[in-house]
Amino acid sequence: RASLTLGKSKMDHKALALEREERLRARGMDPAAPDAGGKTASNPWGGQNVRAQAPRQSSIFDAHRSIRMAHSLGLIICFVMLLLLFFPWVMHTKILLVCIMGGAVWLARAGGTWLHNSLLPPTLHEGAAPTEQEVTAHDKSLFAPRLSSESFNEEWYVLLDNLAWCCTYGKKNCITTAMYSQDEPLSLGKISRITWSKVSEGVFRC
């Protein structure tokens, strides 16, 4: 009886396989193709990458300038507030600091348009204000939150790029060529050195 059950099971599987091949042929697909059966199921424990994934948000590097500025400003505010939480004399203002941090997180995640229209001077604008779709589509990086070395590196590079943008008045002043020279990669030391060389001479606009 067991052998009859096993034989019947094999026949059922064979019939299902034939039916599947017929459906694939009807769709114009090759049944012999390894991926003809559809999307690969996701593996919750890692392993190989799945075929069917949600579309990835655009990188923060590709985001509108005002979105990147909001991201960096929010990150700086959060960092300063975290440092202040460790000082005893601000213990009674912890709730206020947490509220400010909450506002900074909102600024980084969704405040690009508001920053462009409200706080950024025209010289730091790069085109029109970002649209709601642009704000929604950009990668939130550390504010996803996604705490990884890649996210930290992204945030640091964007922060340096924004700092250079501000120091050159949106690539419009006399230190722009030196700042963006390919002879030396952009770094905090390079930005500080080039900017100070002009400020120390009393030159703020050139």
Side-chain angles (χ1 to χ4, degrees):
R1 184 175 180 179
S3 61
L4 289 174
T5 304
L6 182 60
K8 183 178 180 181
S9 176
K10 289 181 178 179
M11 291 176 64
D12 290 341
H13 284 300
K14 187 175 181 180
L16 289 172
L18 290 172
E19 183 180 349
R20 172 179 171 276
E21 290 179 6
E22 290 176 1
R23 287 199 305 269
L24 292 174
R25 288 195 184 95
R27 297 175 189 169
M29 301 172 65
D30 183 7
D35 293 328
K39 298 177 181 178
T40 305
S42 60
N43 182 357
W45 292 277
Q48 296 181 345
N49 293 332
V50 296
R51 288 183 62 233
Q53 293 181 348
R56 191 182 187 279
Q57 291 178 310
S58 62
S59 170
I60 188 174
F61 296 127
D62 304 323
H64 188 285
R65 170 66 64 180
S66 296
I67 293 175
R68 283 179 280 161
M69 293 282 283
H71 227 264
S72 295
L73 184 57
L75 183 64
I76 292 172
I77 294 173
C78 282
F79 181 72
V80 172
M81 294 301 106
L82 282 173
L83 288 180
L84 290 177
L85 286 175
F86 291 98
F87 288 90
W89 53 272
V90 295
M91 293 294 288
H92 60 285
T93 62
K94 274 190 173 182
I95 295 179
L96 176 61
L97 295 182
V98 170
C99 290
I100 294 175
M101 286 180 63
V105 170
W106 172 84
L107 177 64
R109 288 179 58 87
T113 304
W114 175 83
L115 182 69
H116 183 102
N117 294 328
S118 303
L119 296 181
L120 285 183
T123 188
L124 296 182
H125 288 175
E126 191 175 40
T131 63
E132 184 179 347
Q133 289 76 15
E134 288 178 300
V135 173
T136 303
H138 89 278
D139 188 1
K140 306 303 185 292
S141 192
L142 284 180
F143 295 92
R146 189 177 71 245
L147 302 179
S148 65
S149 59
E150 181 184 359
S151 296
F152 280 104
N153 290 336
E154 286 179 355
E155 294 287 358
W156 178 246
Y157 180 83
V158 170
L159 179 61
L160 290 177
D161 181 60
N162 284 330
L163 184 58
W165 176 263
C166 293
C167 290
T168 58
Y169 302 154
K171 296 185 178 181
K172 299 182 184 73
N173 64 12
C174 59
I175 64 173
T176 299
T177 302
M179 186 71 74
Y180 291 95
S181 170
Q182 298 299 318
D183 297 336
E184 181 185 354
L186 203 61
S187 65
L188 186 59
K190 178 182 179 180
I191 296 171
S192 303
R193 184 179 68 254
I194 294 174
T195 304
W196 178 249
S197 68
K198 287 298 179 184
V199 173
S200 61
E201 297 173 359
V203 179
F204 292 92
R205 296 188 66 89
C206 58

